[in-house]
Amino acid sequence: MPVAGIAPPLAAYSHGVDVTPGARLVFCSGQLGLGADDIVPADCEGQAEICFANIKAILAGAGMSLAHVVRINAYVTGREHLAAYMRVRDRLFAEHPPASTLMIVSGFTRPEFVVEIEVVAAAVETPLAEEEPRP
């Protein structure tokens, strides 16, 4: 699905896929720390903030929010980035922590990227309020 306000996909994939019936699911492709302005912060925390901002924009396009995230898969390029990534994740998901996997990988499409994050979100047909738990 097209998403306004974030950088276009770097390859042949969609930023999100909406699946129905029952609980609607949105599968977000891995997001990198690339802002709509093509700027990539040098630090993992700054990149993770952009990743989750992009995910938030994708979910908003589907009538969802970060409160609907049920699964996170995250990848960092070194152990030194674990704490910075987890600070951002833990702040954003303190109330309703989703299932999560964090892996260390050798690299991404460009050397300046140090983190990539993908999520799955679920919602009932009537969108949940930001503070309500996921289905």
Side-chain angles (χ1 to χ4, degrees):
M1 78 186 146
V3 180
I6 65 173
L10 298 176
Y13 61 85
S14 297
H15 280 303
V17 177
D18 186 357
V19 180
T20 23
R24 283 188 317 114
L25 300 176
V26 172
F27 294 82
C28 292
S29 293
Q31 296 298 303
L32 296 162
L34 176 65
D37 55 5
D38 284 338
I39 293 176
V40 178
D43 64 306
C44 182
E45 195 160 346
Q47 288 188 30
E49 291 284 357
I50 291 174
C51 292
F52 281 117
N54 289 349
I55 289 167
K56 188 175 179 180
I58 293 163
L59 295 176
M64 294 186 197
S65 70
L66 292 178
H68 293 97
V69 172
V70 295
R71 176 91 178 134
I72 299 173
N73 290 327
Y75 312 90
V76 295
T77 58
R79 290 189 192 288
E80 68 273 19
H81 303 303
L82 295 174
Y85 161 74
M86 288 187 285
R87 270 193 303 276
V88 176
R89 181 199 60 201
D90 293 351
R91 178 177 50 78
L92 293 172
F93 297 94
E95 300 231 0
H96 305 290
S100 183
T101 298
L102 175 57
M103 289 190 266
I104 298 171
V105 298
S106 63
F108 300 112
T109 56
R110 293 182 359 203
E112 65 267 38
F113 295 128
V114 298
V115 62
E116 183 169 349
I117 305 167
E118 61 186 33
V119 305
V120 176
V124 294
E125 286 303 312
T126 304
L128 299 174
E130 184 73 26
E131 53 279 343
E132 290 183 32
R134 294 169 301 277

